[in-house]
Amino acid sequence: MKQKTGLGHYIYIVWDYFYSNIVTLVKVASHTFTKADTVEYPEQMPYLAPRFRGRIVLTRDPTGEERCVACNLCASACPTDCISLQKTEDESGRWSAEYFRINFSRCVFCGMCEEACPTYAIQLTQDFELAEYERQNMVYEKQHLLIDGPGKHPDYSFYELSGKAVSGRAKGAGTQEAEPVNLKSLLP
Amino acid sequence: MNATIDNLVTIYIDGSAYQVKAGGHLLEACLGLAQDLPYFCWHPALGSVGSCRQCAVQLYQDAEDQRGRMVMACMTPVAEGMRVSLSAPMASEFRQQCIEVTMANHPHDCPVCEEGGECHLQDMTLQSGHTQRRHKGHKKTYHNQDLGPCVGHEMNRCISCYRCVRFYQDYAGGDDLVVLGSRENVYFGRHQDGCLTSHFSGNLSEVCPTGVFYDKVVSDSYTRKWDLQSAPSICSHCSLGCNLSVGERQGQVKRVTNRYHSQVNGYFICDKGRYGFAHSNSDQRLYQAQVQPLGDTEKVSCDTLHGLDYVAQIMTELGAENVFGLGSPRASVEENFALQSLVGKANFYAGHNAAQGVIQTQVLHQLTQPNIYTPSLKQIEQADAIVIIGEDLLHTAPRMALSVRQASRNLGFAKAAAIGIPKWQDEPVRIHTQNQLSPVISVTSAATDLDDISSQCIHLAPSDMCNFAGALASAVEGQFDGSGLSAELNEQVQHSLALLAGAKRPLVISGASSQSPELIDLAAQLALALGRQSGSEAWLSYALEAANSMGLGLLNKDAKHMDDLALRLQQQTTPSALIVLQTDLFSLSTQAQALCENLRHLVVLDQLPSATSEHADVVIACASVFETEGTYVNNEGRAQRFFSVHDKLGRPDAWRSLTHLATMVTQAGHRSDTITQLASCTKFDDLCDLVSQQGGEFAHWCDVAPSAGFRIAGMKVPRQTHRASGRTSLYADENVSEAKQPEDVDSALGFTMEGTPINKPSALIPQVWSPGWNSNEAINKFQQEINGPLKGGEAGVRLLDTSPSLPLAEVAVIPSITLGAGQILAHTQNHLFASDRVSSLSSALKQRNTAISARLHPDTAAIMGLVDGDEVCVALAQTQWLLPLTVDASVAVDLLLLPNQYQAPISAGHLPAAVSLSAVTQEVN
Ligand code: SF4
Ligand code: SF4
Ligand code: SF4
Ligand code: SF4
Ligand code: FES
């Protein structure tokens, strides 16, 4: 390419420099007369889109039981690896989380966990007010995450469909399940 | 064997030509060529039955044929010029529909399924392209059974592939897992709830392609496969050295699964290997160090370095010649070697009693004789006649019992091959051969679980066993005239002789549990005689006492043992100290108490407390087999490396403590060559170099596994999977800032998820995974060919093959047992789940340890006036033991069998012995 070295070129560079600065100043100054984008939080709450993703909760199924079955899918889907949990099982064979921990200082609120969850247990809410003075306080345990209601998908109950027998639901009592096979029957 | 077996044929898969081995089937060929073809009912070790219809491919008549026809790959032998297509629409749609039908009744419970994330059914479903359930009907459900503490049952998930029963009954000889019901209502379980009795039941969780049979112990504190930090390991529970993959999460060992080794364990391990890991998580584990200064009555805890410092002071004070070391057949070669270097060869003794010492030198001598070859477990499966003398294999070398069971089918395979039925055609082979089995002659002191496949079972007392073995050996040589044997035994010898007459590949198996050096020798004589008769090398295999008996034997060729040490200490005039490595003296020999009394200091390095550590004045805690690295030499002389799975509990490696000790002693001015060399070791590789410098059998020590400097593309081999989760959260409750990953300077494995999951050398495969293959079935991507060696070659090195014949060490003759008035000869009855202290800490195995009784032959019992169910008192010297009596017609006459229980008052190490036996009179209440 041919190198431009003439006087005209230098004038152009100087003009270009001043021009962009002047434009910037004018634009900034003109904002003095427009409506402010910021709101006076916290007196005034901002608008949140319906699918805004904030603080994560663990929900309960329609009967009030913990929905999370400790399958670990959310943890494996999480790009920041900030979820960890341990499975435990009650007498009846129902799986649940012995502990469930989210390190919100790492969470990027991407919602991958919610997407991966097969039981609708883990859900992102609209709460974004997670500021803390101590970073350690950003680590939430199960008791901090668990809420009382079902959140989204209020009617879904995983164990209703799973085929596993758990307390209150015998084998074959779930949706779309046949009575347990009677092995001693010779009927066709 | 079929002449064409080793020939190659050319087949065309989707238009490309491939060379494959003749004699195999198409599925095997395709998988061997790294093609993805779904399957369920075929298993590489169980063969084909063609029942699941999942492996359908399109077969074409010739190059012109455009339509072709569908065949099941697993049932179709490969043939020269064969043209097939895996991607042909008809076949691939068929496979998809097949899965769809299978899934119509499959529950919706992957999230709560132990198989989830490593499920062959999930993998095959994805592979075949089925994604959406269209069937709107109800799903079938089944009740589950309680199958005991080890195996769980969730029958809804069954896809009726029949793999479970084919493994459990046909392969492992179990009889309590059956298929029940009829038509499409079949049920895989027991006739009624109850613990599965097979010692191989745990394999069901790997054999079953779904989550019907799952590992209950894993489920108790469940972790998905992708979250396990794993390392290749070697089983520490018996002398066979099965390869294991061990997984950890948050400082707890979570599970053990089989790790394929084509020559050793293949696809299966026993339940002790699988469930016997709880000792590592036990809260009884020792922590750091305890020291009891002279004159004090209590031990005080201190950190490891202080403890070691105290030991170094002892060593300096007493002088090197007064410090002794006792190695262990349960500790690695490197640990034993470090101790030997520290105390010097002359002061090093093996942690076993006199009988075991003699056996050890006998074993080494026999196995290095020029005409004797000791086969691997895989080779044992090729034997066409087997004599087992004095070993209840299922309890002392369980995986070998499984190999013997396979070998017994060789007659059938040969018969089928004669009419052109290949071995993998499972059903036709069985139908054609019915129940004809190759001769297996089992000579034991009572009935064993191999009796069902044995052509001849003889139950004899130890002395008769020797007579029988000797007689049979000379009979095979044609030099036996029947003198000196009872008529009955004579008849048995003639019967055995007839059975062994046509054998081409005979094998003799014996072992250490008889505690009879004579038997070890006679087994070798018999093997040599049979070898000469068949015109081939003599095949001989010994089941040894512990995981590293062979390694310790090689380090300690003069076979110095604990009883020798006791004698030497008696004669010692200066105060002395003993460093004991992972051994409980009190379970080994009745000399233990006397030995301890002759010591000024007793130092114990161990992971768990024991009677010995109670007596010790210094106890140094050390890492378990899952927390350190080392090498075991198995019963065939194969050196195999295990690696630490995690180091989160902070127990130092025993070998490292010993090198620290060497450094401290050197600094205190004590400089023997071996100590200085040991002191110069800072890493595990340094120690391996030292071991290999000993030359001889150890010359190739550095080839056992890649050294710590090994890298793939500049990276270490990762212990974690690439989708391990929770890195920023697992320990966030303690500290929200993540700690640095620990470094591992001692091996080529990293505590990390970074690195390549493929192309790993065989000794460094933590767990198997391949894209689209999340279950252990992924092993087909790691093998050179199905059932063949791994792509990186076989891990480990066989040490005895090139070894010159080792002479018999000069050892004191063990005095024969004389029976006093009213006494009876007692011997041990091994029980797989109870014989040692390590497995006694696994609650699942403990629950399966039921048979705790003394056993007698009815005639013997009648003479002694005892009946079945009596409570009897067994007395040996000062020790007494009360236990119930079982009268059992299979027990040899005049022999009392006592269960081998860790912490039983009379330990296996004290037997055989003359004991007195009396009934405990029941108090009437
Ligand atoms: S929102 Fe994203 S980053 Fe946060 S926990 Fe869920 S998956 Fe992890
Ligand atoms: S994915 Fe859902 S059910 Fe599974 S562990 Fe996470 S929250 Fe629980
Ligand atoms: S067997 Fe496999 S497909 Fe079936 S529920 Fe378990 S993980 Fe899912
Ligand atoms: S239980 Fe498992 S192995 Fe047995 S038939 Fe069913 S799916 Fe196959
Ligand atoms: S694998 Fe071929 S039919 Fe099942």
Side-chain angles (χ1 to χ4, degrees), chain A residues 71 75 80-82 84 86-87 95 99 101 103 106 136 163 171 176-178 180-181 183 187, chain B residues 111 136 139 141-142 144 154 156 183 187 219 222 224 250 725-726 728-730 732-733 736 738:
Chain A
C71 71
T80 68
D81 281 345
C82 71
S84 67
Q86 173 61 52
K87 171 247 172 185
W95 287 29
Y99 81 86
R101 180 177 308 133
N103 176 357
R106 289 289 187 193
Q136 187 66 46
K171 266 278 163 76
Q176 271 205 343
E177 282 171 21
V181 168
L183 291 174
L187 293 175
Chain B
K136 294 283 178 263
K139 290 184 181 182
T141 60
Y142 297 86
N144 302 329
E154 181 61 53
N156 282 359
R183 300 172 291 113
Y187 189 90
S219 180
Y222 186 68
R224 296 264 176 230
Q250 292 195 284
S725 75
T728 64
S729 169
L730 274 175
D733 55 334
V736 68
E738 293 90 38

CSV table of all heavy atoms in Angstrom, one decimal, chain A residues 71 75 80-82 84 86-87 95 99 101 103 106 136 163 171 176-178 180-181 183 187, chain B residues 111 136 139 141-142 144 154 156 183 187 219 222 224 250 725-726 728-730 732-733 736 738:
chain,number,residue,atom,x,y,z
A,71,CYS,N,-29.6,-35.8,41.7
A,71,CYS,CA,-29.1,-36.5,40.5
A,71,CYS,C,-27.7,-36.0,40.0
A,71,CYS,O,-27.1,-36.6,39.2
A,71,CYS,CB,-30.1,-36.5,39.4
A,71,CYS,SG,-30.2,-34.8,38.7
A,75,ALA,N,-25.1,-29.9,38.7
A,75,ALA,CA,-23.7,-29.6,39.1
A,75,ALA,C,-22.8,-29.9,37.8
A,75,ALA,O,-21.8,-29.2,37.6
A,75,ALA,CB,-23.2,-30.6,40.2
A,80,THR,N,-19.4,-23.0,35.8
A,80,THR,CA,-18.4,-22.5,36.8
A,80,THR,C,-18.2,-23.5,37.9
A,80,THR,O,-17.5,-23.2,38.8
A,80,THR,CB,-18.9,-21.1,37.4
A,80,THR,OG1,-20.0,-21.4,38.2
A,80,THR,CG2,-19.2,-20.1,36.3
A,81,ASP,N,-18.8,-24.6,37.8
A,81,ASP,CA,-18.6,-25.7,38.8
A,81,ASP,C,-18.9,-25.2,40.2
A,81,ASP,O,-18.3,-25.6,41.1
A,81,ASP,CB,-17.1,-26.2,38.8
A,81,ASP,CG,-16.9,-27.1,37.6
A,81,ASP,OD1,-17.9,-27.6,37.0
A,81,ASP,OD2,-15.7,-27.4,37.3
A,82,CYS,N,-20.0,-24.4,40.3
A,82,CYS,CA,-20.2,-23.8,41.6
A,82,CYS,C,-21.3,-24.5,42.4
A,82,CYS,O,-21.6,-24.1,43.5
A,82,CYS,CB,-20.5,-22.3,41.5
A,82,CYS,SG,-22.1,-22.0,40.8
A,84,SER,N,-22.3,-28.1,44.3
A,84,SER,CA,-21.9,-29.4,44.8
A,84,SER,C,-23.0,-29.9,45.7
A,84,SER,O,-23.7,-29.2,46.4
A,84,SER,CB,-20.6,-29.4,45.4
A,84,SER,OG,-20.6,-28.7,46.6
A,86,GLN,N,-24.5,-33.9,47.8
A,86,GLN,CA,-24.3,-35.3,48.0
A,86,GLN,C,-25.6,-36.0,48.2
A,86,GLN,O,-26.5,-35.5,48.8
A,86,GLN,CB,-23.5,-35.5,49.3
A,86,GLN,CG,-23.4,-37.0,49.8
A,86,GLN,CD,-22.6,-37.8,48.8
A,86,GLN,OE1,-21.6,-37.5,48.3
A,86,GLN,NE2,-23.3,-39.0,48.4
A,87,LYS,N,-25.8,-37.1,47.5
A,87,LYS,CA,-27.0,-37.9,47.5
A,87,LYS,C,-27.2,-38.6,48.9
A,87,LYS,O,-26.2,-39.1,49.4
A,87,LYS,CB,-27.1,-38.9,46.4
A,87,LYS,CG,-28.2,-39.9,46.4
A,87,LYS,CD,-27.7,-41.3,46.7
A,87,LYS,CE,-28.9,-42.2,46.9
A,87,LYS,NZ,-28.5,-43.6,47.3
A,95,TRP,N,-34.6,-40.6,47.0
A,95,TRP,CA,-33.3,-39.9,46.9
A,95,TRP,C,-33.5,-38.4,47.3
A,95,TRP,O,-34.5,-37.8,46.8
A,95,TRP,CB,-32.7,-39.9,45.5
A,95,TRP,CG,-32.1,-41.2,45.1
A,95,TRP,CD1,-32.5,-42.5,45.6
A,95,TRP,CD2,-31.0,-41.5,44.2
A,95,TRP,NE1,-31.7,-43.4,45.0
A,95,TRP,CE2,-30.8,-42.8,44.1
A,95,TRP,CE3,-30.2,-40.6,43.5
A,95,TRP,CZ2,-29.8,-43.4,43.3
A,95,TRP,CZ3,-29.2,-41.2,42.7
A,95,TRP,CH2,-29.0,-42.5,42.6
A,99,TYR,N,-26.4,-32.7,51.4
A,99,TYR,CA,-26.1,-31.3,51.5
A,99,TYR,C,-26.2,-30.7,50.0
A,99,TYR,O,-26.1,-31.5,49.1
A,99,TYR,CB,-24.7,-31.0,52.1
A,99,TYR,CG,-23.6,-31.2,51.1
A,99,TYR,CD1,-23.2,-30.1,50.3
A,99,TYR,CD2,-22.9,-32.4,51.0
A,99,TYR,CE1,-22.1,-30.2,49.4
A,99,TYR,CE2,-21.8,-32.5,50.1
A,99,TYR,CZ,-21.4,-31.4,49.3
A,99,TYR,OH,-20.4,-31.6,48.5
A,101,ARG,N,-24.9,-27.2,47.9
A,101,ARG,CA,-24.2,-26.0,48.1
A,101,ARG,C,-24.0,-25.3,46.8
A,101,ARG,O,-23.7,-25.9,45.8
A,101,ARG,CB,-22.8,-26.3,48.7
A,101,ARG,CG,-22.0,-25.1,49.0
A,101,ARG,CD,-20.7,-25.5,49.7
A,101,ARG,NE,-20.9,-26.4,50.8
A,101,ARG,CZ,-20.3,-27.5,51.1
A,101,ARG,NH1,-19.4,-28.0,50.3
A,101,ARG,NH2,-20.7,-28.2,52.1
A,103,ASN,N,-22.0,-21.9,45.4
A,103,ASN,CA,-21.1,-20.8,45.7
A,103,ASN,C,-21.5,-19.6,44.8
A,103,ASN,O,-21.1,-19.6,43.6
A,103,ASN,CB,-19.7,-21.3,45.4
A,103,ASN,CG,-18.7,-20.2,45.6
A,103,ASN,OD1,-19.0,-19.0,45.9
A,103,ASN,ND2,-17.4,-20.5,45.5
A,106,ARG,N,-19.3,-17.5,42.5
A,106,ARG,CA,-18.8,-18.0,41.2
A,106,ARG,C,-19.9,-18.1,40.2
A,106,ARG,O,-19.7,-18.1,39.0
A,106,ARG,CB,-18.3,-19.4,41.4
A,106,ARG,CG,-17.0,-19.5,42.2
A,106,ARG,CD,-15.8,-18.9,41.3
A,106,ARG,NE,-14.6,-19.1,41.9
A,106,ARG,CZ,-13.5,-18.5,41.5
A,106,ARG,NH1,-13.5,-17.7,40.5
A,106,ARG,NH2,-12.3,-18.7,42.1
A,136,GLN,N,-17.3,-15.0,51.8
A,136,GLN,CA,-17.7,-16.3,52.4
A,136,GLN,C,-19.3,-16.4,52.5
A,136,GLN,O,-19.8,-17.5,52.4
A,136,GLN,CB,-17.0,-16.5,53.7
A,136,GLN,CG,-17.2,-17.8,54.3
A,136,GLN,CD,-16.5,-18.9,53.5
A,136,GLN,OE1,-15.4,-18.8,53.1
A,136,GLN,NE2,-17.3,-20.0,53.3
A,163,GLY,N,-41.6,-44.3,38.4
A,163,GLY,CA,-41.6,-45.7,38.4
A,163,GLY,C,-41.0,-46.3,39.7
A,163,GLY,O,-41.2,-47.5,40.0
A,171,LYS,N,-45.3,-49.3,44.2
A,171,LYS,CA,-45.0,-49.7,42.8
A,171,LYS,C,-46.3,-49.7,42.0
A,171,LYS,O,-47.3,-50.3,42.4
A,171,LYS,CB,-44.3,-51.1,42.8
A,171,LYS,CG,-42.8,-51.0,42.8
A,171,LYS,CD,-42.3,-50.8,41.4
A,171,LYS,CE,-40.8,-50.4,41.4
A,171,LYS,NZ,-39.9,-51.4,41.7
A,176,GLN,N,-49.4,-43.4,34.5
A,176,GLN,CA,-49.0,-44.2,33.3
A,176,GLN,C,-48.3,-45.5,33.7
A,176,GLN,O,-47.4,-46.0,33.0
A,176,GLN,CB,-48.1,-43.4,32.4
A,176,GLN,CG,-48.9,-42.7,31.3
A,176,GLN,CD,-48.1,-42.5,30.1
A,176,GLN,OE1,-46.9,-42.5,30.1
A,176,GLN,NE2,-48.8,-42.2,29.0
A,177,GLU,N,-48.6,-46.0,34.9
A,177,GLU,CA,-47.9,-47.2,35.4
A,177,GLU,C,-48.9,-48.3,35.6
A,177,GLU,O,-50.0,-48.1,36.1
A,177,GLU,CB,-47.2,-47.0,36.7
A,177,GLU,CG,-45.9,-46.3,36.6
A,177,GLU,CD,-45.3,-45.9,37.9
A,177,GLU,OE1,-45.7,-46.5,39.0
A,177,GLU,OE2,-44.5,-45.0,38.0
A,178,ALA,N,-48.6,-49.5,35.1
A,178,ALA,CA,-49.5,-50.7,35.3
A,178,ALA,C,-49.2,-51.3,36.7
A,178,ALA,O,-48.1,-51.0,37.3
A,178,ALA,CB,-49.2,-51.7,34.2
A,180,PRO,N,-47.9,-53.9,39.4
A,180,PRO,CA,-46.8,-54.7,39.3
A,180,PRO,C,-47.1,-56.1,38.7
A,180,PRO,O,-48.2,-56.6,39.0
A,180,PRO,CB,-46.3,-54.8,40.7
A,180,PRO,CG,-46.8,-53.6,41.4
A,180,PRO,CD,-48.1,-53.3,40.7
A,181,VAL,N,-46.2,-56.6,37.9
A,181,VAL,CA,-46.4,-57.9,37.2
A,181,VAL,C,-46.6,-59.0,38.3
A,181,VAL,O,-45.8,-59.1,39.2
A,181,VAL,CB,-45.2,-58.2,36.3
A,181,VAL,CG1,-45.3,-59.6,35.8
A,181,VAL,CG2,-45.2,-57.2,35.1
A,183,LEU,N,-45.9,-62.6,38.9
A,183,LEU,CA,-45.1,-63.6,38.3
A,183,LEU,C,-45.8,-65.0,38.3
A,183,LEU,O,-45.5,-65.9,37.5
A,183,LEU,CB,-43.8,-63.7,38.9
A,183,LEU,CG,-42.9,-62.5,38.7
A,183,LEU,CD1,-41.7,-62.6,39.5
A,183,LEU,CD2,-42.6,-62.4,37.2
A,187,LEU,N,-51.9,-66.5,33.2
A,187,LEU,CA,-52.9,-66.0,32.2
A,187,LEU,C,-52.2,-65.3,31.1
A,187,LEU,O,-51.1,-64.7,31.3
A,187,LEU,CB,-53.8,-64.9,32.9
A,187,LEU,CG,-54.7,-65.5,34.0
A,187,LEU,CD1,-55.5,-64.4,34.7
A,187,LEU,CD2,-55.7,-66.5,33.3
B,111,PRO,N,-32.6,-40.0,36.7
B,111,PRO,CA,-32.0,-39.2,37.7
B,111,PRO,C,-31.8,-39.9,39.1
B,111,PRO,O,-30.9,-39.5,39.8
B,111,PRO,CB,-33.1,-38.1,37.9
B,111,PRO,CG,-33.8,-38.1,36.7
B,111,PRO,CD,-33.8,-39.5,36.2
B,136,LYS,N,-48.1,-44.5,24.2
B,136,LYS,CA,-48.8,-43.8,25.2
B,136,LYS,C,-49.4,-44.7,26.3
B,136,LYS,O,-50.1,-44.3,27.2
B,136,LYS,CB,-50.0,-43.0,24.6
B,136,LYS,CG,-49.6,-41.9,23.6
B,136,LYS,CD,-49.1,-40.7,24.4
B,136,LYS,CE,-48.6,-39.6,23.5
B,136,LYS,NZ,-47.1,-39.6,23.3
B,139,LYS,N,-46.8,-48.3,31.6
B,139,LYS,CA,-45.5,-49.0,31.7
B,139,LYS,C,-45.6,-50.1,32.7
B,139,LYS,O,-46.3,-50.0,33.8
B,139,LYS,CB,-44.4,-48.1,32.2
B,139,LYS,CG,-44.1,-47.0,31.2
B,139,LYS,CD,-42.9,-46.2,31.8
B,139,LYS,CE,-42.6,-45.1,30.8
B,139,LYS,NZ,-41.5,-44.3,31.2
B,141,THR,N,-44.5,-52.6,35.6
B,141,THR,CA,-43.7,-52.4,36.9
B,141,THR,C,-43.5,-53.7,37.5
B,141,THR,O,-44.3,-54.7,37.3
B,141,THR,CB,-44.4,-51.4,37.9
B,141,THR,OG1,-45.7,-52.0,38.2
B,141,THR,CG2,-44.6,-50.1,37.3
B,142,TYR,N,-42.5,-53.8,38.3
B,142,TYR,CA,-42.2,-55.0,39.1
B,142,TYR,C,-41.8,-54.7,40.5
B,142,TYR,O,-41.3,-53.6,40.8
B,142,TYR,CB,-40.9,-55.7,38.5
B,142,TYR,CG,-41.1,-56.2,37.0
B,142,TYR,CD1,-40.8,-55.3,36.0
B,142,TYR,CD2,-41.4,-57.5,36.7
B,142,TYR,CE1,-41.0,-55.7,34.7
B,142,TYR,CE2,-41.5,-57.9,35.4
B,142,TYR,CZ,-41.3,-57.0,34.4
B,142,TYR,OH,-41.4,-57.4,33.1
B,144,ASN,N,-39.4,-55.2,43.7
B,144,ASN,CA,-38.0,-55.5,43.8
B,144,ASN,C,-37.7,-56.5,45.0
B,144,ASN,O,-38.6,-56.8,45.8
B,144,ASN,CB,-37.2,-54.2,44.2
B,144,ASN,CG,-37.4,-53.2,43.2
B,144,ASN,OD1,-37.6,-53.5,42.0
B,144,ASN,ND2,-37.4,-51.9,43.6
B,154,GLU,N,-33.6,-53.1,41.1
B,154,GLU,CA,-34.7,-52.2,40.7
B,154,GLU,C,-35.2,-52.8,39.4
B,154,GLU,O,-34.8,-52.4,38.3
B,154,GLU,CB,-34.2,-50.7,40.6
B,154,GLU,CG,-35.3,-49.7,40.2
B,154,GLU,CD,-36.5,-49.6,41.2
B,154,GLU,OE1,-36.2,-49.4,42.4
B,154,GLU,OE2,-37.6,-49.8,40.7
B,156,ASN,N,-37.8,-52.7,37.5
B,156,ASN,CA,-38.5,-51.9,36.4
B,156,ASN,C,-37.5,-51.7,35.3
B,156,ASN,O,-38.0,-51.5,34.1
B,156,ASN,CB,-38.9,-50.6,37.0
B,156,ASN,CG,-40.1,-50.6,37.8
B,156,ASN,OD1,-40.7,-51.7,38.0
B,156,ASN,ND2,-40.6,-49.5,38.3
B,183,ARG,N,-43.3,-65.6,29.2
B,183,ARG,CA,-43.5,-64.6,28.1
B,183,ARG,C,-42.8,-63.3,28.3
B,183,ARG,O,-41.6,-63.3,28.6
B,183,ARG,CB,-45.0,-64.4,28.0
B,183,ARG,CG,-45.9,-65.6,27.7
B,183,ARG,CD,-47.3,-65.3,27.8
B,183,ARG,NE,-47.8,-65.1,29.1
B,183,ARG,CZ,-48.2,-63.9,29.6
B,183,ARG,NH1,-48.3,-62.9,28.7
B,183,ARG,NH2,-48.6,-63.7,30.8
B,187,TYR,N,-38.7,-62.2,35.0
B,187,TYR,CA,-38.3,-61.6,36.2
B,187,TYR,C,-36.9,-62.1,36.6
B,187,TYR,O,-36.7,-63.3,36.6
B,187,TYR,CB,-39.2,-61.8,37.3
B,187,TYR,CG,-39.0,-61.1,38.6
B,187,TYR,CD1,-39.6,-59.8,38.8
B,187,TYR,CD2,-38.2,-61.6,39.6
B,187,TYR,CE1,-39.3,-59.1,40.0
B,187,TYR,CE2,-37.9,-60.9,40.8
B,187,TYR,CZ,-38.5,-59.6,40.9
B,187,TYR,OH,-38.3,-58.9,42.1
B,219,SER,N,-24.2,-46.9,46.2
B,219,SER,CA,-25.4,-46.2,46.3
B,219,SER,C,-25.5,-45.5,47.7
B,219,SER,O,-26.1,-44.4,47.8
B,219,SER,CB,-26.6,-47.0,46.1
B,219,SER,OG,-27.8,-46.3,46.2
B,222,TYR,N,-23.6,-42.2,47.3
B,222,TYR,CA,-23.5,-42.2,45.8
B,222,TYR,C,-22.7,-41.0,45.2
B,222,TYR,O,-22.9,-39.9,45.6
B,222,TYR,CB,-24.9,-42.3,45.2
B,222,TYR,CG,-24.9,-42.5,43.7
B,222,TYR,CD1,-24.4,-43.7,43.2
B,222,TYR,CD2,-25.3,-41.5,42.8
B,222,TYR,CE1,-24.3,-43.9,41.9
B,222,TYR,CE2,-25.2,-41.7,41.5
B,222,TYR,CZ,-24.7,-42.9,41.0
B,222,TYR,OH,-24.7,-43.1,39.7
B,224,ARG,N,-21.7,-39.9,41.0
B,224,ARG,CA,-21.7,-40.2,39.6
B,224,ARG,C,-20.3,-40.5,39.1
B,224,ARG,O,-19.3,-39.9,39.6
B,224,ARG,CB,-22.3,-39.1,38.8
B,224,ARG,CG,-23.8,-38.8,39.1
B,224,ARG,CD,-24.7,-39.5,38.2
B,224,ARG,NE,-26.1,-39.2,38.6
B,224,ARG,CZ,-27.0,-40.2,38.7
B,224,ARG,NH1,-26.8,-41.4,38.5
B,224,ARG,NH2,-28.3,-39.9,39.1
B,250,GLN,N,-14.4,-36.2,47.7
B,250,GLN,CA,-14.3,-35.5,49.0
B,250,GLN,C,-13.6,-36.3,50.1
B,250,GLN,O,-14.1,-36.5,51.2
B,250,GLN,CB,-15.7,-35.1,49.5
B,250,GLN,CG,-16.3,-34.1,48.6
B,250,GLN,CD,-17.5,-33.4,49.2
B,250,GLN,OE1,-18.6,-34.0,49.2
B,250,GLN,NE2,-17.3,-32.2,49.7
B,725,SER,N,-17.5,-32.2,38.4
B,725,SER,CA,-18.2,-31.0,38.8
B,725,SER,C,-17.8,-30.5,40.2
B,725,SER,O,-17.2,-31.2,40.9
B,725,SER,CB,-19.7,-31.3,38.7
B,725,SER,OG,-20.1,-32.0,39.8
B,726,GLY,N,-18.3,-29.3,40.5
B,726,GLY,CA,-18.2,-28.8,41.8
B,726,GLY,C,-16.9,-28.3,42.3
B,726,GLY,O,-16.6,-28.1,43.5
B,728,THR,N,-15.5,-25.4,42.3
B,728,THR,CA,-15.5,-24.1,43.1
B,728,THR,C,-16.5,-24.2,44.3
B,728,THR,O,-16.8,-23.2,44.9
B,728,THR,CB,-15.9,-22.9,42.2
B,728,THR,OG1,-17.2,-23.1,41.7
B,728,THR,CG2,-14.9,-22.8,41.0
B,729,SER,N,-17.0,-25.3,44.5
B,729,SER,CA,-18.1,-25.4,45.6
B,729,SER,C,-17.8,-26.5,46.6
B,729,SER,O,-18.3,-26.4,47.8
B,729,SER,CB,-19.4,-25.7,44.9
B,729,SER,OG,-20.4,-26.0,45.7
B,730,LEU,N,-17.1,-27.6,46.2
B,730,LEU,CA,-17.0,-28.7,47.1
B,730,LEU,C,-16.5,-28.3,48.5
B,730,LEU,O,-17.0,-28.8,49.5
B,730,LEU,CB,-16.0,-29.7,46.5
B,730,LEU,CG,-16.5,-30.7,45.5
B,730,LEU,CD1,-15.4,-31.5,44.9
B,730,LEU,CD2,-17.5,-31.6,46.2
B,732,ALA,N,-16.2,-25.0,49.5
B,732,ALA,CA,-16.5,-23.6,49.7
B,732,ALA,C,-17.1,-23.4,51.1
B,732,ALA,O,-17.1,-22.2,51.6
B,732,ALA,CB,-17.5,-23.1,48.6
B,733,ASP,N,-17.6,-24.4,51.7
B,733,ASP,CA,-18.1,-24.2,53.1
B,733,ASP,C,-17.0,-23.9,54.1
B,733,ASP,O,-17.2,-23.1,55.0
B,733,ASP,CB,-18.9,-25.4,53.6
B,733,ASP,CG,-18.2,-26.7,53.5
B,733,ASP,OD1,-17.2,-26.7,52.7
B,733,ASP,OD2,-18.5,-27.6,54.3
B,736,VAL,N,-14.2,-20.0,50.9
B,736,VAL,CA,-14.7,-19.7,49.6
B,736,VAL,C,-13.7,-19.6,48.5
B,736,VAL,O,-13.9,-19.7,47.3
B,736,VAL,CB,-15.7,-18.5,49.7
B,736,VAL,CG1,-14.8,-17.2,49.9
B,736,VAL,CG2,-16.5,-18.3,48.4
B,738,GLU,N,-10.8,-21.0,46.4
B,738,GLU,CA,-10.4,-22.4,46.1
B,738,GLU,C,-8.9,-22.6,46.4
B,738,GLU,O,-8.1,-21.8,46.0
B,738,GLU,CB,-10.7,-22.7,44.7
B,738,GLU,CG,-12.2,-22.8,44.3
B,738,GLU,CD,-12.7,-21.5,43.8
B,738,GLU,OE1,-11.9,-20.7,43.1
B,738,GLU,OE2,-13.8,-21.1,44.2
